Amino acid sequence: MLANEMFDLRNTLDQQGITFCYSGYMTEAILFGIGNAIKTHMEIGDADAKLAKGVFAVFVEQVQNVIRYSAEKVGKEDASELRYGILTVGTMGEKPFVACGNMIEIKDADRLRDSLTHIKGLDRDGLKALWKETLRGEVPEGSKGAGVGFIDIARHARGGIDFDFRTVDDAYVFFTLKALL
Amino acid sequence: MNTLHMPATERTPELLFDFAANTFSLKGESYPENIAEFYSSPVGQLKEHLTAQKGQKITFQFELPYFNSSSAKIILGLFSMLEQAAVDGNKVLITWTCEEGDDMQEMGEEFAEDLDAAKFELKFLG
């Protein structure tokens, strides 16, 4: 029974081409550990070095987004804080993907949707220009990094990005972003 | 000023700032847990040092196989400080070492687009 349940879950993931899946509270140590496993897995599989680096880069930005911004969290806003997210890495057709999902506050959904719609509509030169403009500018309010993570993800995602939102309740929306390398 | 040396860790590059010789380098992957904790102090010291330089030969070597987007902001800031030092009458050389055709080559070239007075050299590994 127990084996059946876990085997079914494993097969469900496998059928979706998922090779790595983590759902839970994310930390920088988890980022480092899973990141290394992804690198090793791609090396063993003789993946193109440039592609492997892209997958790793997108993975880092996605996980750091969860660690910094997921609205589903426990603990106080300091080192003891933990934020929840779900991450999958796999291949769709021949192309690797990195997908990540987490709760956001409903008030942030429109801004995020607008920003990602804009990024998704840009070509490579447009992304490059926005990347530099954003790096040069002041760090946006509420950002804990350079505010350039999504642009960075889109630059690496040569197969494009997809994103979606699903309302959970009055306060929260589940947000997901998938990058195809 | 003295020399600042931080050995590379799994997530931070080796940082070698030799203020007396005016040679500086960052070598290794850069995706620190806490970007400010790693870069704030050395970058602040470098900025102060560069402002005081006149007619000097200044070299900064970058060899970063991977850096995250928060590190990119720091690197762009370093390029801008070095460009200013060149505008202020120093001879500034920035070298950028990477694999040929790598994304890092593209990034380096993009950072270099803002340079005018400082000289930029691309070097390939292998």
Side-chain angles (χ1 to χ4, degrees):
Chain A
M1 188 66 192
L2 183 62
N4 278 346
E5 273 176 31
M6 289 306 268
F7 191 63
D8 286 349
L9 177 59
R10 184 215 174 276
N11 285 348
T12 303
L13 296 170
D14 193 50
Q15 278 155 19
Q16 291 177 39
I18 293 166
T19 44
F20 288 88
C21 177
Y22 177 82
S23 183
Y25 292 98
M26 294 201 185
T27 65
E28 287 286 344
I30 285 171
L31 179 154
F32 184 68
I34 298 178
N36 275 348
I38 291 171
K39 274 185 186 171
T40 307
H41 182 251
M42 295 199 73
E43 272 167 26
I44 293 168
D46 269 336
D48 172 71
K50 195 172 163 177
L51 196 63
K53 205 180 261 188
V55 170
F56 181 72
V58 170
F59 161 81
V60 170
E61 300 300 326
Q62 292 259 51
V63 173
Q64 286 191 326
N65 276 342
V66 171
I67 294 172
R68 291 168 181 166
Y69 308 117
S70 172
E72 191 175 352
K73 56 187 174 178
V74 290
K76 299 221 166 63
E77 196 149 333
D78 59 19
S80 69
E81 184 186 70
L82 290 172
R83 297 191 187 233
Y84 195 103
I86 178 163
L87 163 93
T88 58
V89 180
T91 48
M92 206 164 74
E94 293 289 296
K95 289 177 177 170
F97 68 82
V98 181
C100 208
N102 59 271
M103 297 291 189
I104 59 165
E105 287 184 45
I106 215 156
K107 66 177 171 60
D108 295 325
D110 283 347
R111 186 177 46 86
L112 196 56
R113 187 184 285 109
D114 290 350
S115 168
L116 284 165
T117 305
H118 177 60
I119 290 169
K120 191 176 158 72
L122 293 172
D123 61 10
R124 293 203 62 74
D125 285 345
L127 283 171
K128 181 178 139 180
L130 183 64
W131 185 74
K132 265 196 92 181
E133 186 192 317
T134 310
L135 282 182
R136 264 200 219 102
E138 294 296 314
V139 173
E141 201 179 322
S143 175
K144 295 170 191 169
V148 77
F150 288 134
I151 309 165
D152 208 67
I153 289 170
R155 289 195 63 176
H156 284 107
R158 288 189 160 76
I161 57 165
D162 262 316
F163 54 90
D164 203 6
F165 297 86
R166 182 211 156 117
T167 303
V168 175
D169 57 30
D170 290 349
Y172 296 102
V173 172
F174 184 75
F175 158 67
T176 183
L177 175 68
K178 185 173 188 172
L180 206 54
L181 276 293
Chain B
M1 241 196 269
N2 50 355
T3 298
L4 202 56
H5 183 226
M6 298 198 272
T9 71
E10 285 161 324
R11 302 182 55 166
T12 57
E14 178 191 26
L15 182 149
L16 183 57
F17 285 7
D18 186 338
F19 292 101
N22 264 322
T23 57
F24 308 92
S25 68
L26 280 176
K27 290 181 183 176
E29 296 196 336
S30 178
Y31 58 117
E33 274 195 51
N34 186 328
I35 192 86
E37 197 174 281
F38 181 75
Y39 283 109
S40 279
S41 168
V43 170
Q45 288 181 54
L46 179 65
K47 188 168 189 176
E48 200 177 310
H49 171 80
L50 289 178
T51 320
Q53 303 304 301
K54 287 279 176 294
Q56 299 296 313
K57 199 176 160 217
I58 300 165
T59 312
F60 201 121
Q61 293 177 268
F62 291 92
E63 190 176 330
L64 306 163
Y66 164 71
F67 52 86
N68 68 348
S69 65
S70 311
S71 302
K73 190 168 177 76
I74 302 289
I75 298 163
L76 189 73
L78 288 170
F79 268 63
S80 148
M81 278 161 50
L82 290 160
E83 169 66 12
Q84 189 55 49
V87 169
D88 292 344
N90 297 287
K91 203 173 167 203
V92 178
L93 172 67
I94 300 175
T95 64
W96 184 271
T97 307
C98 61
E99 301 270 357
E100 194 169 3
D102 192 270
D103 280 350
M104 294 301 129
Q105 179 185 343
E106 196 183 335
M107 301 273 181
E109 285 166 347
E110 283 169 33
F111 289 130
E113 282 169 6
D114 297 340
L115 301 176
D116 188 25
K119 195 173 170 237
F120 180 79
E121 247 179 48
L122 198 58
K123 290 184 176 180
F124 296 127
L125 288 165

